[in-house]
Amino acid sequence: MTTGISRQGLAILAILPLLLTIHRFLLRRPKRLSKIAAIDERVLVLGASSGIGRSVALQYAQRGARVCIVGRREGKVEEVVGECRGCGTRSSGYGSSRIIGISGDFAEVDDMVRVRSILQNEWGGIDTMIVAAGVSALQPLMAVAGVEVKGTTFTPAQSTKEGIKAAVAVTAAATRGNYVGPLVAAITFIPLLTATSQSPSILLISSLAALIPAPTRTLYASTKAASLMLYQALSIEHPAIAFSFCTPSTVEGDFRASAVDKGPVRELDPNKFGLKREDVAGRCIEAVDTAERTVFMPGTMRLAHLVYWICPSFVEWRARKKYNF
């Protein structure tokens, strides 16, 4: 297959790993911990009742931080609170005020204002906000509208009014979970972070799909890309806050069960071939400690992102293969 990559492009690809290694080495120094001791850090994790968010909360608790666990399912929130209190270091003196669990939806203004009030009263503010909540979507857009596509044949020949309305409703749900929620969180907590922390930090857990398009991920990728761009723009508007963005590829777990379009999983079994949640959580925390801007997981995907702009047809071919499309 002819990729069309120029010699200049190949030269850039050849030296890029070395440059990235040097860059990562310089960033690995945890400068932030010299300003905020691990045991003093006040961490808010939105979407902490399961998945990567739960792993992030547990790892912060293990190193002695104060952690606020927020999730929609009260029972799951209570489970994670118990786990965090059980794994916290004995010397940190864990009590009800060091590990806080609050059930709430990060796309609901009233819920987030309530979380903010509790944190102001209990901790006097926060140092770190991890935005880990979100929803999945797994179908091609035309399938969401009830249209089957085989090659260039559409069945029915045109989308119906009902099908279009159904697609709009699913889009609204994906937008609410992947864009409106991060938006509400940012507006609610950015002033508090800025006013109460010596080293305020925000980490958004996004997705590789927000940077490299993939079939069957139309709604998921576009809504995750929207929130990623939102936070990238906010990082310019609020330079006092260190923003980090984690963009993992497929991760193990049952995240796809949250699919707002109820679509089938087309890729290889995430629980066998996906990234480990604990590994992603660890890299997220490392990124916050070192003020690393963008984390690609696996790291080779940084090169894939570059190749997409040099030779998009090759990456698109690989995406079709991965998602059996």
Side-chain angles (χ1 to χ4, degrees):
M1 175 180 291
T2 301
T3 63
I5 300 178
S6 66
R7 290 184 178 180
Q8 183 179 11
L10 289 172
I12 293 173
L13 291 176
I15 65 172
L16 193 58
L18 175 61
L19 295 176
L20 291 175
T21 300
I22 295 172
H23 182 60
R24 280 286 308 279
F25 175 77
L26 294 175
L27 284 176
R28 278 185 178 275
R29 292 173 293 179
K31 302 174 184 177
R32 189 171 186 245
L33 295 180
S34 65
K35 298 179 180 179
I36 302 174
I39 199 171
D40 295 325
E41 189 174 1
R42 300 163 298 178
V43 183
L44 167 64
V45 186
L46 301 173
S49 59
S50 62
I52 300 172
R54 172 182 171 275
S55 293
V56 168
L58 287 169
Q59 290 186 33
Y60 267 118
Q62 286 167 356
R63 73 180 201 174
R66 282 180 275 187
V67 184
C68 178
I69 294 120
V70 177
R72 289 182 301 168
R73 296 170 290 180
E74 184 176 1
K76 289 291 186 180
V77 169
E78 291 176 354
E79 285 181 18
V80 180
V81 168
E83 290 172 337
C84 285
R85 288 178 178 164
C87 72
T89 57
R90 299 296 181 185
S91 60
S92 61
Y94 271 99
S96 59
S97 65
R98 288 193 65 88
I99 297 293
I100 299 173
I102 306 171
S103 58
D105 185 338
F106 79 146
E108 286 290 340
V109 174
D110 288 346
D111 287 354
M112 291 302 97
V113 170
R114 175 167 53 87
V115 171
R116 183 179 65 188
S117 296
I118 292 172
L119 293 177
Q120 283 178 302
N121 292 333
E122 294 289 342
W123 295 348
I126 55 175
D127 300 299
T128 305
M129 179 171 75
I130 308 293
V131 182
V135 296
S136 182
L138 303 172
Q139 295 195 71
L141 185 57
M142 295 308 299
V144 178
V147 179
E148 182 180 353
V149 182
K150 291 186 177 180
T152 58
T153 303
F154 295 78
T155 307
Q158 297 188 56
S159 53
T160 65
K161 180 190 294 186
E162 292 73 20
I164 297 171
K165 288 182 177 180
V168 170
V170 170
T171 302
T175 302
R176 187 178 189 278
N178 292 334
Y179 182 80
V180 175
L183 176 83
V184 172
I187 297 172
T188 305
F189 294 105
I190 280 177
L192 182 64
L193 272 163
T194 305
T196 62
S197 179
Q198 297 181 61
S199 182
S201 294
I202 293 175
L203 181 135
L204 173 71
I205 298 177
S206 185
S207 169
L208 187 65
L211 296 172
I212 302 176
T216 77
R217 294 296 187 271
T218 318
L219 292 178
Y220 176 69
S222 58
T223 51
K224 295 297 279 188
S227 60
L228 178 60
M229 182 58 69
L230 169 69
Y231 274 54
Q232 288 173 332
L234 285 171
S235 71
I236 302 171
E237 295 179 352
H238 301 279
I241 299 176
F243 281 78
S244 298
F245 315 107
C246 183
T247 59
S249 60
T250 302
V251 180
E252 67 175 359
D254 59 355
F255 174 62
R256 284 150 191 79
S258 72
V260 293
D261 59 3
K262 308 302 181 185
V265 177
R266 295 170 182 253
E267 73 237 67
L268 296 174
D269 185 355
N271 289 313
K272 291 183 178 179
F273 300 97
L275 298 169
K276 300 299 181 183
R277 286 168 292 196
E278 292 77 11
D279 294 340
V280 177
R283 280 293 283 121
C284 288
I285 294 173
E286 179 187 0
V288 172
D289 288 345
T290 59
E292 185 177 357
R293 180 54 63 94
T294 305
V295 175
F296 286 80
M297 290 193 73
T300 53
M301 289 299 104
R302 189 182 294 271
L303 290 174
H305 186 223
L306 177 61
V307 171
Y308 173 66
W309 293 107
I310 297 174
C311 184
S313 60
F314 173 76
V315 177
E316 289 166 0
W317 170 71
R318 290 298 305 163
R320 291 190 189 96
K321 292 279 287 183
K322 176 179 179 179
Y323 291 101
N324 191 29
F325 188 80

